[in-house]
Amino acid sequence: MNRRQAVGLLLGTTAAAAITAPSAAVAAEDPAKYPSQPIRVIVPFAPGGASDFAMRLLQPAMSQALGQQIVIENRAGAAGNVGMDVAARGAPDGYTVFFGNVGTVSINPTLYPDMTVKPDKAFVAVSVASETPSVYIANPKFPPNTVKELIDYAKARPGKVNFASPGSGSVDRLEMELFRKAAGLDMNHVPYKGGAGPAVADILGGHVELMSVTLPSAMPHIKSGRVKVMAITSRERNPSLADVPTVVELGYPDIVATSWQGFLVPAGTPRPIVDKLFQAIVKATADPKVKERMLEGGVTAVASDSPEQFKTFIDKETARWAVVIKESGAVAD
Amino acid sequence: MDVLSNLGLGFAVALDPLNLLYGFLGVLLGTAIGVLPGLGPVATISILLPVTFTLQPQSAIIMLAGIYYGAAYGGSTTAILVNLPGESSSVVTTLDGYQMARQGKAGLALATAALSSFMAGTIATFIIAFAAPTVAEFALDFGPADYCSLMVFGLVAAVILAHGSVIKAIGMILTGILLGTMGIDVNSSLPRFTFGVPQFGDGIDFAVIAMGIFGIGETITNLARGAEAREYVKNYRGLWPSPHDLKAIVRPALRGTGLGAALGILPGGGPVLASFSAYALEKKIAAEPDRFGRGAIEGVAAPEAANNAASQTAFIPLLTLGLPASPVMALMIGALMMHGLYAGPQLIAQKPELFWGLVASMWIGNLMLVVLNLPLVGMWAKLLTVPYRLLYPSILLICCIGVYSIRNDALDVIVASVFGLVGYVMTRLQCEPAPLLLGFILGPLIEENLRRALLISHGSPSVFFTRPISLTFLILTAIVVAILVLPVIRSGRARVFAEETN
């Protein structure tokens, strides 16, 4: 009874929450009955992007595990901050779920210090859902063929080697900055915008020498031989790129990095509900069909060990990228 | 022979009743959203994308493509009828199309737009079928320096668009560029001219400015006129172009198609740049450039052909290389991904029925557009006889709904209203809006590519002169500047646009 009153009060005082989840009170009655109505998952990017792709593959399996419809709501804008803001204002009843990613949850807080939502305070972590490694690709005409050759080549030409990225604060750029620092290189960053496409186009055209980019964006060009691959940022080799060494093998275990997506719920969501969602994510990410479809796109479906582990992971990621962002000058202090 | 048998396969796919239906649905929807200002192809395709996940991949792509070129086409209808460009690529169509409508030739203008678009669509389809891979290689050769010079050329050519004062046109272009700099800076992630408003982080949407200046501004301007001047189209003359008109359309449409097809394969403002440059070209080579801006039929035919050709050749880098030339094309990649397909050179070999089905459906779609729209021309033209007190409040309402629908934000409606006032003041001062909008679109692209080119060259500006493509555009720019400036020097008067072209 107490909990119901508390949640009711919270709802009453938060007009936005009441509007966005009109029947939240039903759920507040008994978390054991959750979910008794469709759940909306907010994807902070447009359909067709990496986040949307992963969520749509997870949707049927999660629906089945929860025994409820899952409704995907794409709220794009301002590097994902628009969608994150909408989700943070949802009622903490388990019917508003945020499908965040490394950019929104772990990079934006440092990159945009003025943003209104602080993800570490506004959300409770549930579980990671997918991880995508990046590859270091280069134009075939670029002389170095391996990471070792690249290091020698760049050391001999400080500040002269250009690397592209899909944006100043993109995870792709920060991954290259990690490598640059680990190898002690001075390279020149060239930011693009509008997704990975334009940057990859300039690699193909030979206008920029190399870049770190998520595997799905690079795959067609690797297959067609228009780019060469020097390394992959995952811990283990990728089955579809069996001859590409990992950064661990190359002696840089600290620069292992993935672009990840994961589920978060508004702060204050009852623990039993978080657990139910967590179980559903574990089931969905283990579904062979989901795993296979994701792998075709270069993405690995994976769940956290526990909500706490996801929380620790996020905190680590946020701290790690904050250092890289500040050191690389991706944002002015 | 190979291409022919492939095209045969394509038509077999595209003529499948189900695919025909989806293609038809696509162009119908596209035309509708093109006519409704605000809701553009990107938003519509985003909304409908999830629906297509349950379809066959080729049906999905055929439908989405139909929306895309249907919108490019439908946008010109409102541009001609009520001076309201539905899409950025139909801004130029307002210049002469609307003037034709005011002279009672709305039907002729609409038919011209439909026929030139169809002609361009047919030719562009053949270009895709026969030359896609070759053409795509050419697009890869364009580096940041080359884009920058191309855009500079486009901006300078924009001065030709104006039929009034050159100084005012330059002022408008610069204002447009300034407006285009709003938002988070790509290189530094710092906000510029956002006034602390988070919604300005992505800048102002093109449709917000266009609808404010054109739609709302035009309504205010009309209100300021006398009642008799407002209801201008009491009777309209024949809808179907006379043989004489047809003759006047063909050459400009062909030139527009050529320009459009070439510019469409380049990322960034392809169709927009294409329509602007096609118009500028026609005006430059016309015997009486004075007719432009006063209802010249070439001023409708050329840009309409150009934007349609460009929106189709924009598929080439996507289908042959897996590289999106525009946000719509990026959505197409996403759509393919959901079907487990990856756009790129392998796609044509792996799924020939998809590639050739799409190519064939483009031509069928263009045919459908003509069949769909020509009978409607009479109805559209009659719309102009609706009394002012009914027509213009409806336009205002549609503008507001359109602007709001872009991202469900009331702020955009307020911003559009402010631009409505700006548009009215501009009309009173005889400043033309088209150069402003071109500056708004090209300005940010110039900046982005200029900074990128200089980053890549490590600060050396020589890159603009040593790259052959870039140098070519800079020389062309110099020639255009010379054409614009010489008569002024020669005559000592500001009658720049009265000059003859040999």
Coordinates of all heavy atoms in Angstrom, one line a residue, chain B residues 301-339:
Chain B
A301 N 10.7 23.9 -66.7 CA 11.1 22.6 -67.3 C 12.5 22.2 -66.8 O 12.7 21.1 -66.4 CB 11.1 22.7 -68.8
A302 N 13.5 23.1 -66.9 CA 14.9 22.7 -66.6 C 15.0 22.3 -65.2 O 15.5 21.2 -64.9 CB 15.8 23.8 -67.0
P303 N 14.7 23.1 -64.2 CA 14.9 22.6 -62.8 C 14.1 21.4 -62.4 O 14.6 20.6 -61.6 CB 14.5 23.8 -61.9 CG 13.8 24.8 -62.8 CD 14.2 24.5 -64.2
E304 N 12.9 21.3 -63.0 CA 12.1 20.1 -62.6 C 12.7 18.8 -63.2 O 12.8 17.8 -62.5 CB 10.7 20.2 -63.2 CG 9.8 21.1 -62.3 CD 9.7 20.5 -60.9 OE1 9.4 19.3 -60.7 OE2 9.9 21.3 -59.9
A305 N 13.2 18.9 -64.4 CA 14.0 17.8 -65.0 C 15.2 17.5 -64.2 O 15.5 16.3 -63.8 CB 14.3 18.1 -66.4
A306 N 15.9 18.6 -63.8 CA 17.2 18.4 -63.0 C 16.9 17.7 -61.7 O 17.6 16.8 -61.3 CB 17.8 19.7 -62.8
N307 N 15.9 18.2 -60.9 CA 15.8 17.6 -59.6 C 15.3 16.1 -59.7 O 15.7 15.3 -58.8 CB 15.0 18.5 -58.6 CG 13.5 18.5 -58.9 OD1 12.9 17.5 -59.3 ND2 12.9 19.6 -58.6
N308 N 14.5 15.8 -60.7 CA 14.1 14.5 -60.8 C 15.2 13.5 -61.2 O 15.4 12.4 -60.7 CB 12.9 14.4 -61.8 CG 12.0 13.2 -61.5 OD1 11.7 13.0 -60.3 ND2 11.6 12.5 -62.5
A309 N 16.0 14.0 -62.2 CA 17.2 13.2 -62.6 C 18.1 13.0 -61.4 O 18.6 11.9 -61.2 CB 17.9 13.9 -63.8
A310 N 18.4 14.0 -60.7 CA 19.3 14.0 -59.6 C 18.8 13.0 -58.5 O 19.6 12.2 -57.9 CB 19.6 15.3 -59.0
S311 N 17.5 13.1 -58.2 CA 17.0 12.2 -57.1 C 17.1 10.7 -57.5 O 17.2 9.9 -56.7 CB 15.6 12.6 -56.7 OG 14.7 12.5 -57.7
Q312 N 17.1 10.5 -58.8 CA 17.3 9.1 -59.2 C 18.7 8.6 -59.3 O 19.1 7.6 -58.9 CB 16.6 8.9 -60.6 CG 15.3 8.2 -60.3 CD 14.4 8.2 -61.5 OE1 13.8 9.1 -61.8 NE2 14.5 7.1 -62.3
T313 N 19.6 9.5 -59.9 CA 21.0 9.1 -59.9 C 21.6 9.0 -58.5 O 22.7 8.4 -58.4 CB 21.9 10.0 -60.9 OG1 21.7 11.3 -60.5 CG2 21.5 9.8 -62.3
A314 N 21.0 9.6 -57.5 CA 21.5 9.5 -56.2 C 21.5 8.1 -55.7 O 22.2 7.8 -54.7 CB 20.6 10.4 -55.2
F315 N 20.8 7.2 -56.4 CA 20.8 5.8 -56.0 C 22.1 5.1 -56.4 O 22.4 4.0 -55.9 CB 19.6 5.1 -56.6 CG 18.4 5.2 -55.9 CD1 17.4 6.1 -56.1 CD2 18.1 4.3 -54.8 CE1 16.3 6.2 -55.4 CE2 17.0 4.4 -54.1 CZ 16.0 5.3 -54.4
I316 N 22.8 5.7 -57.4 CA 24.0 5.0 -58.0 C 25.1 4.7 -56.9 O 25.4 3.6 -56.8 CB 24.5 5.8 -59.2 CG1 23.5 5.7 -60.3 CG2 25.9 5.2 -59.6 CD1 23.9 6.5 -61.6
P317 N 25.5 5.7 -56.1 CA 26.6 5.4 -55.2 C 26.0 4.4 -54.1 O 26.8 3.6 -53.6 CB 26.9 6.7 -54.5 CG 26.1 7.8 -55.1 CD 25.3 7.2 -56.2
L318 N 24.8 4.5 -53.8 CA 24.2 3.6 -52.8 C 24.2 2.1 -53.3 O 24.7 1.2 -52.7 CB 22.8 3.9 -52.5 CG 22.0 2.9 -51.6 CD1 22.3 3.2 -50.2 CD2 20.5 2.9 -51.9
L319 N 23.8 1.9 -54.6 CA 23.6 0.6 -55.1 C 24.9 0.0 -55.5 O 25.1 -1.2 -55.4 CB 22.6 0.6 -56.2 CG 21.2 0.9 -55.8 CD1 20.3 1.1 -57.0 CD2 20.6 -0.2 -54.9
T320 N 25.8 0.8 -56.0 CA 27.1 0.2 -56.5 C 28.2 0.2 -55.5 O 29.0 -0.7 -55.6 CB 27.5 0.9 -57.8 OG1 27.7 2.3 -57.4 CG2 26.6 0.8 -58.9
L321 N 28.2 1.1 -54.6 CA 29.3 1.2 -53.6 C 28.8 1.0 -52.2 O 29.6 0.8 -51.3 CB 30.0 2.5 -53.7 CG 30.7 2.8 -55.1 CD1 31.1 4.3 -55.1 CD2 31.8 1.9 -55.3
G322 N 27.5 1.1 -51.9 CA 27.0 1.0 -50.6 C 27.3 2.3 -49.8 O 27.4 2.3 -48.6
L323 N 27.4 3.4 -50.6 CA 27.6 4.7 -49.9 C 26.4 5.6 -50.1 O 26.0 5.8 -51.2 CB 28.8 5.4 -50.6 CG 30.2 4.7 -50.3 CD1 31.3 5.3 -51.2 CD2 30.5 4.8 -48.8
P324 N 25.8 6.1 -49.0 CA 24.7 6.9 -49.1 C 25.0 8.4 -49.5 O 25.9 9.0 -48.9 CB 24.1 6.9 -47.7 CG 25.2 6.6 -46.8 CD 26.3 5.9 -47.6
A325 N 24.4 8.9 -50.5 CA 24.6 10.3 -50.9 C 23.7 11.3 -50.2 O 23.9 12.5 -50.3 CB 24.4 10.4 -52.5
S326 N 22.8 10.8 -49.5 CA 21.9 11.7 -48.8 C 21.2 11.0 -47.6 O 21.3 9.8 -47.5 CB 20.8 12.2 -49.7 OG 19.9 11.1 -50.1
P327 N 20.6 11.7 -46.7 CA 19.9 11.1 -45.5 C 18.9 10.0 -46.0 O 18.8 9.0 -45.4 CB 19.2 12.2 -44.8 CG 20.0 13.4 -45.2 CD 20.5 13.2 -46.6
V328 N 18.2 10.3 -47.1 CA 17.2 9.3 -47.6 C 18.0 8.0 -47.9 O 17.5 6.9 -47.6 CB 16.4 9.8 -48.8 CG1 15.5 8.8 -49.3 CG2 15.6 11.0 -48.3
M329 N 19.1 8.2 -48.6 CA 19.8 7.0 -49.0 C 20.4 6.2 -47.8 O 20.5 5.0 -47.8 CB 21.0 7.4 -50.0 CG 20.5 7.9 -51.3 SD 19.5 6.7 -52.2 CE 18.2 7.8 -52.7
A330 N 20.8 6.9 -46.8 CA 21.2 6.3 -45.5 C 20.1 5.4 -45.0 O 20.3 4.3 -44.5 CB 21.7 7.3 -44.5
L331 N 18.9 5.9 -45.1 CA 17.7 5.2 -44.6 C 17.5 3.9 -45.4 O 17.1 2.9 -44.9 CB 16.4 6.0 -44.7 CG 16.2 7.0 -43.6 CD1 15.0 7.9 -43.9 CD2 16.0 6.3 -42.3
M332 N 17.8 4.0 -46.7 CA 17.7 2.9 -47.6 C 18.6 1.8 -47.2 O 18.3 0.6 -47.2 CB 18.0 3.3 -49.1 CG 17.0 4.3 -49.6 SD 15.4 3.5 -50.1 CE 14.5 4.9 -50.6
I333 N 19.8 2.2 -46.8 CA 20.8 1.2 -46.3 C 20.3 0.5 -45.1 O 20.4 -0.7 -45.0 CB 22.2 1.9 -46.0 CG1 22.9 2.3 -47.3 CG2 23.1 1.0 -45.2 CD1 24.3 2.7 -47.1
G334 N 19.7 1.3 -44.2 CA 19.1 0.7 -43.0 C 18.0 -0.3 -43.4 O 17.9 -1.4 -42.8
A335 N 17.2 0.1 -44.4 CA 16.1 -0.8 -44.8 C 16.6 -2.1 -45.3 O 16.1 -3.2 -45.0 CB 15.2 -0.1 -45.8
L336 N 17.7 -2.0 -46.1 CA 18.3 -3.3 -46.6 C 18.8 -4.1 -45.5 O 18.7 -5.3 -45.5 CB 19.4 -2.9 -47.6 CG 18.9 -2.3 -49.0 CD1 20.1 -1.8 -49.8 CD2 18.2 -3.4 -49.8
M337 N 19.5 -3.4 -44.5 CA 20.1 -4.1 -43.4 C 19.1 -5.0 -42.6 O 19.4 -6.1 -42.2 CB 20.8 -3.1 -42.5 CG 22.2 -3.4 -42.2 SD 23.0 -2.0 -41.4 CE 22.7 -2.3 -39.7
M338 N 17.9 -4.4 -42.5 CA 16.9 -5.1 -41.7 C 16.5 -6.4 -42.5 O 16.0 -7.3 -41.9 CB 15.6 -4.3 -41.5 CG 15.8 -3.2 -40.4 SD 16.5 -3.8 -38.9 CE 15.3 -5.1 -38.4
H339 N 16.7 -6.4 -43.8 CA 16.4 -7.6 -44.5 C 17.6 -8.5 -44.6 O 17.7 -9.5 -45.4 CB 15.9 -7.3 -45.9 CG 14.5 -6.6 -45.9 ND1 13.4 -7.4 -45.6 CD2 14.2 -5.4 -46.0 CE1 12.4 -6.5 -45.6 NE2 12.8 -5.3 -45.9

